[in-house]
């Protein structure tokens, strides 16, 4: 992960937010889960700094899209009770993979918050495609 | 949000609590989620400073009545596992809106805790009407 | 401690703040260190919810005016390193005593923040005299 | 505070960092102390998300440059032991003022971390001039 790429991903996510009519926060973290960049659009909720960062961190920490977590973290799920301690267990966070086969690893994550879950996911995916097309 | 208005809302919430026979805590926060006023009635639980403030913060941070959150934050809800990180996900918190159309925005929140959820909601609504009638 | 008394103390502290030309936050806690009331004057700093409450808590927790703590908490003091974990170690917090002799005990605390230390102390003392004169 | 201005300030701070040969993180918060934007330059320390944000928050919460705090927060200073609870008490944070006279108020803050204190201060000042010249 580097700052230039993080900003390009953020730009793509924000562009998608305009298309969706949503006001979002976008967080990008590195492979250590530490924040690289954050932007909160004008008028976006103040929960963004907590939730967008939390989704980005969670997607790196668990190496999964956070949209997979509601089922896993449910009362009868494999990761019951996961929520809390910085893990955000609903859609809008995506891990960013690099390499192939044995060298494949998560090198960062993107988290989006502020719209509906569907909007957040769409914006995170738009951001992540800037990553895939890097 | 200003202190005079916050106190008027608090008074209205406390009056409702007397009608309900409940002993409550009432917290008012501004648009940044920072506390403006807090009152705990004699005999009300010591969880009030945490929960009433948390509900007021949550209602601003997510721009929703916290009474909408149990369904959303349930195991199979859209925001499964939201609780944590200062978010309180049950009834008793209301966002306070100002302006119309494009300039409409959340300028603060009220949170009530100490009674049953139904009582907390009724007291928060009583407080919020002092806001609407300002 | 009860709410009526807490509000009377708060009023006295705020009146003193007007005399001082300061904008303050005032917190009153009970003997358990739990918040009973809080008011932030219009235009007062957002650190008030943290510092005024912290001073009130600290003065109950250590049964001393917080203005005594800088010396005690200094690098070579008896309580070196006390600051942190919710203790605020500078002036503006006062414990509130009740009873005499063997039954004397701390029943609450007042904390003021937002002005200079001298102003905060003066406002806390004004609040505490409403307590003494109860 | 708005995002466009926050990004312009960030850009000015980062430009200064290049001149200084420093690798920094830059955080901008609004008047409620909530994050608006954050950027960590490639190779900058992972303490940036904590310290740059903490400096920006502290400068808003206390309405002072954080460079004034070491003297105040020293063992024999007026705010002895202030550090803790999210306050960062060394140089690199600046409050951003708006309005004049009675309407003058802090509308946000900038925090820089990653270089020496002198470099952090220089970068924060470069960012703040983008604010003054807005």
């Amino acid at each position: 992960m580097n700052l230039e790429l993080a900003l390009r991903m953020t730009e793509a996510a924000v562009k998608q937010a305009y298309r969706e009519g949503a006001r979002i926060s976008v967080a990008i973290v590195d492979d250590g889960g530490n924040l690289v960049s954050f932007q909160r659009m004008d008028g976006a909720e103040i929960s963004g700094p907590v939730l967008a960062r939390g989704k980005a961190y969670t997607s790196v920490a668990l190496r999964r899209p956070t949209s997979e977590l509601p089922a896993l973290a449910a009362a009868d799920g494999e990761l019951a009770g996961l929520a809390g301690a910085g893990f955000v267990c609903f859609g809008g966070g995506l891990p960013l993979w690099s390499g192939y086969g044995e060298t494949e690893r998560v090198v960062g994550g993107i988290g989006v918050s502020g719209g509906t879950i569907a909007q957040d996911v769409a914006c995170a995916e738009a951001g992540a495609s800037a990553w895939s097309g890097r």
Side-chain angles (χ1 to χ4, degrees), chain A:
Chain A
M1 183 54 52
N2 63 56
L3 180 55
E4 196 213 320
L5 210 43
L7 293 176
R8 230 191 300 153
M9 292 169 61
T10 301
E11 198 188 335
V14 168
K15 257 187 201 154
Q16 183 64 29
Y18 278 114
R19 259 170 296 197
E20 304 271 347
R23 295 175 178 185
I24 59 166
S25 291
V26 187
I28 313 283
V29 302
D30 62 19
D31 59 351
N34 297 113
L35 201 60
V36 173
S37 88
F38 175 84
Q39 289 186 21
R40 178 155 55 104
M41 290 171 70
D42 296 347
E45 302 171 343
I46 61 166
S47 55
V50 175
L51 293 179
R53 201 210 64 87
K55 290 178 186 179
Y57 168 77
T58 301
S59 64
V60 169
L62 300 180
R63 296 184 188 161
R64 297 169 191 270
T66 57
S67 57
E68 291 181 5
L69 292 175
L72 288 165
D76 58 349
E78 224 176 36
L79 305 177
L82 176 69
F87 297 109
V88 178
C89 298
F90 41 90
L94 290 172
L96 305 164
W97 293 88
S98 191
Y100 296 94
E102 292 218 340
T103 69
E104 193 176 26
R105 64 193 194 88
V106 170
V107 294
I110 179 171
V112 173
S113 185
T116 63
I117 294 295
Q119 289 173 330
D120 290 351
V121 169
C123 294
E125 281 171 355
S129 10
W131 167 256
S132 312
R134 72 192 179 277

